[in-house]
Amino acid sequence: MNQPEGYADDIVKGFLISSMVWGFASVLLGVLISLQIAFPDLNFPPYFSYGRLRPIHTNAGIFGWGIGSFMAFFFYITQRLTKTRVWSHGLARFQLWLFNIVIALAAVTLLLGMNRSKEYAELEWPVALLVVVLWVIFSVNIMMTIAKRREEQMYISLWYIVATLVGVAVLYLVNNAMIPVSLTKSYSAYAGANDANVQWWYGHNAVAMVLTTPPLAIFYYFLPKSTGVPIYSHRMGMIAFWSLIFMYLWTGAHHLLWTPVPDWVQTLAMAFSVMLIAPSWAAVFNGYFSMNGQWHQMRENYLAKFLIFGITFYGLQTLQGPSQAVRTFSAFIHYTDWVPGHVHMGTLGWVSLVLFAAIYYTVPKVYGREIYSVPLANLHFWLAVTGQLIFSITMWIAGVQQATMLNASNPDGSLHYSFMETLIELYPYWYGRALGGIIYLVSLLIFLYNIGKTIAGAPKAVAQNA
C-alpha cells in the first residue's frame, strides 16, 4: 500500500534519534564497567564506580535504547498497518519530550545513589510515577489509533504491540508498589519471599514484554518489507503469539530456584519455561520458512542478514533460557558469569540486530534519502556479530569454569578452591569481554556515522511504501 499523506513521521524521527543517543550511552557505559571489572583501579567512588554506573547502563540500554526504539517503531508500524494517522499528534510530541526527561532523570538519580535495589526497577518513586504517566500516554495513543483503524485485518505485529502495552502496564504497576518515606526513598509494599517472587515475576516478564514482544512485532513487519517475501504463516504466528503470552507469565520464579519460595512455585516456573521453547521457535521457523527460495538475500541484502541473524540469536536464547530454568543446571551456573553471557546474546544479538535492520530500513523512508553506504552497513553487521560472540562465548566459558571451581570439594566436604582463587582465574575472560564490548562499540560508531550521513544527505526519490 502507498503511504497516504499525514503520517506523524516527525515523531518517529524524534524517537529514533533519542534512542540512538541513549543506546550509544549504554554501550559506552557497558564498555567502561567491563573495564572497571578487569581493571579495578578504573573505579572512582562514589559516582564513577561499578555500583553506580551499572544500573545506568542497564536502564539506558533497556529503556533508553530499547523502549525508545520500540516507541518509534510502534508509531511507524501502527499507522501503516491501520492506514490511520496517529490518534493524537500533540500527545505523541509530549510523550517524546517526557521520555527523554524521564531517562535523563533516571541517569542522574541513579548516579546519585537513589536506588531501590530491584533489578530493572531501580527508580525511586517520583521518577517511577513519571514512567507510569509516560506509558499511559503512549498506550492510549496507540490503542486509540488501532481502535480507529481503516484496515479491518489486524496483522500479527499489532497483536504483539497490544500485548506489550498491556503487559508492561500490569508488570510495572504491581512490582513498583511502594511506600514512600521521603522524596528520595521508598520501601517495597511487599516483604521477604513475597517481595522476591513479585520482583522476579516482574523481572523475567520485563524480558517478555520489553525484550521479546516488541522485537517480534518489529521482526514480523520488517522481514517482509525488507525482503519482499510474505511471512510464511500468519496462523502459526498467531498460535505462537497466544501460547507465548500465556506461558511467559508463569516463568518468573525460575530466577528463584533453591530459595525459600515454595517448591510448587519453582516447579511451575520450571515447567512453563521449558514449554516456552515451542512458541519461541515457532517464530524462528516462521522467519526461516519465509526465506525459502530467498536465502541468496543473505549475501545480497544487508537487512536480511541483520534480521535472520537476530531471529537466530532469539532461537539460541530461547533454548539456553529454558535449560537454565532446570533446577540441576540452575544450581550449577546461577550466580556465575554465564548469566551476563546469556543476557547479552539477547540484548546485543537478538534485540539490537533487529532494531538495526529496522532503523536502516526506516530512516531512508522517513527522511526521503537513500542509505549512505551499504558497505559500511555490512561492516557494522560483521563487527557487531563478532563483538557479541566474543562477549557471550567468553562469559559462557568463564561461567562454566567458575561454577566448576565453586562447586569443587575435598573428600572431607570442604571447598577445594577459595573464593579468591576462583576470582583470579576469571581475569583473562574479563579482558576478553572488554575486547568484545569495544568491538561492538566500534560497530555502533560505524552505524551512527552511516545513519548520520544518510540523514544529512541530499533528498532523493525514495518510495514511501508502508
Side-chain angles (χ1 to χ4, degrees):
M1 69 188 81
N2 292 326
Q3 172 180 314
E5 293 297 321
Y7 285 163
D9 284 343
D10 59 319
I11 302 301
V12 176
K13 294 175 185 177
F15 274 109
L16 284 178
I17 291 171
S18 300
S19 69
M20 287 187 283
V21 169
W22 295 117
F24 174 73
S26 175
V27 175
L28 185 64
L29 282 173
V31 170
L32 175 58
I33 61 177
S34 72
L35 290 170
Q36 286 180 325
I37 293 176
F39 305 98
D41 289 343
L42 294 177
N43 286 269
F44 300 100
Y47 301 113
F48 298 102
S49 61
Y50 178 87
R52 294 286 177 92
L53 296 180
R54 192 263 179 182
I56 302 176
H57 161 65
T58 56
N59 278 267
I62 297 172
F63 302 114
W65 164 238
I67 291 289
S69 298
F70 302 150
M71 287 178 170
F73 291 122
F74 282 16
F75 280 121
Y76 184 87
I77 292 170
T78 300
Q79 292 182 99
R80 283 154 177 82
L81 289 179
T82 61
K83 297 183 182 178
T84 306
R85 179 180 169 85
V86 67
W87 179 65
S88 173
H89 186 267
L91 207 57
R93 287 185 63 84
F94 176 72
Q95 177 193 333
L96 175 60
W97 283 98
L98 183 59
F99 166 76
N100 284 291
I101 290 169
V102 167
I103 300 298
L105 282 173
V108 171
T109 54
L110 290 171
L111 192 66
L112 293 174
M114 301 174 193
N115 190 324
R116 297 180 64 228
S117 302
K118 301 187 80 169
E119 187 80 357
Y120 315 135
E122 294 92 348
L123 305 180
E124 273 296 351
W125 68 270
V127 184
L129 281 178
L130 289 177
V131 173
V132 173
V133 173
L134 175 68
W135 199 257
V136 169
I137 291 170
F138 179 43
S139 300
V140 168
N141 217 353
I142 294 293
M143 290 293 202
M144 288 300 294
T145 304
I146 294 174
K148 293 181 175 295
R149 68 187 184 276
R150 299 175 186 172
E151 177 67 48
E152 183 179 356
Q153 172 70 32
M154 279 185 61
Y155 180 64
I156 188 170
S157 294
L158 290 177
W159 287 101
Y160 277 110
I161 287 171
V162 171
T164 301
L165 298 177
V166 175
V168 169
V170 173
L171 293 165
Y172 200 84
L173 286 172
V174 173
N175 190 54
N176 280 275
M178 60 187 89
I179 303 169
V181 293
S182 71
L183 189 63
T184 60
K185 184 62 183 173
S186 63
Y187 293 97
S188 174
Y190 317 102
N194 286 334
D195 189 36
N197 205 11
V198 171
Q199 160 58 27
W200 283 110
W201 168 78
Y202 162 87
H204 193 72
N205 285 294
V207 174
M209 299 300 169
V210 177
L211 301 179
T212 303
T213 52
L216 283 172
I218 293 166
F219 175 80
Y220 272 113
Y221 181 85
F222 284 102
L223 182 66
K225 301 304 293 185
S226 301
T227 61
V229 297
I231 207 71
Y232 172 73
S233 172
H234 192 269
R235 178 176 295 178
M236 182 167 75
M238 287 306 302
I239 293 171
F241 164 78
W242 287 109
S243 303
L244 187 84
I245 298 304
F246 173 70
M247 293 179 191
Y248 233 127
L249 295 173
W250 301 87
T251 61
H254 73 217
H255 288 264
L256 299 169
L257 302 179
W258 307 102
T259 71
V261 170
D263 276 353
W264 71 266
V265 175
Q266 299 178 35
T267 302
L268 189 71
M270 184 171 64
F272 273 96
S273 298
V274 174
M275 290 163 61
L276 264 178
I277 295 173
S280 301
W281 269 82
V284 179
F285 287 135
N286 227 349
Y288 286 171
F289 291 161
S290 299
M291 294 298 289
N292 278 344
Q294 297 292 324
W295 287 106
H296 58 88
Q297 292 200 41
M298 293 294 287
R299 295 190 305 271
E300 303 161 0
N301 182 349
Y302 71 99
L303 295 175
K305 283 200 287 286
F306 278 99
L307 290 165
I308 295 302
F309 266 70
I311 201 68
T312 300
F313 281 125
Y314 174 63
L316 295 173
Q317 189 83 351
T318 52
L319 286 178
Q320 200 178 67
S323 301
Q324 293 166 195
V326 176
R327 276 195 180 90
T328 48
F329 191 38
S330 176
F332 184 68
I333 55 88
H334 206 48
Y335 308 119
T336 72
D337 279 359
W338 172 284
V339 176
H342 166 72
V343 170
H344 285 79
M345 178 170 63
T347 54
L348 301 181
W350 155 231
V351 177
S352 292
L353 289 184
V354 170
L355 288 179
F356 290 143
I359 292 171
Y360 275 128
Y361 178 92
T362 302
V363 165
K365 298 291 185 185
V366 296
Y367 282 94
R369 309 285 195 267
E370 289 180 359
I371 196 68
Y372 172 71
S373 173
V374 172
L376 279 181
N378 280 312
L379 178 61
H380 165 217
F381 169 79
W382 288 113
L383 286 175
V385 170
T386 300
Q388 189 273 311
L389 287 174
I390 291 174
F391 186 119
S392 287
I393 293 172
T394 299
M395 288 295 93
W396 294 333
I397 298 170
V400 171
Q401 179 170 336
Q402 185 181 12
T404 302
M405 294 180 72
L406 288 172
N407 283 281
S409 60
N410 297 314
D412 64 357
S414 60
L415 292 177
H416 187 71
Y417 298 101
S418 69
F419 174 78
M420 190 57 66
E421 287 175 308
T422 305
L423 184 71
I424 291 170
E425 295 299 321
L426 295 176
Y427 272 89
Y429 303 110
W430 291 343
Y431 301 149
R433 168 172 56 185
L435 173 63
I438 290 169
I439 294 172
Y440 201 93
L441 177 62
V442 171
S443 80
L444 186 61
L445 289 171
I446 293 169
F447 163 71
L448 294 173
Y449 174 79
N450 205 357
I451 293 297
K453 293 292 284 186
T454 299
I455 293 172
K460 294 183 182 293
V462 178
Q464 297 293 310
N465 291 331

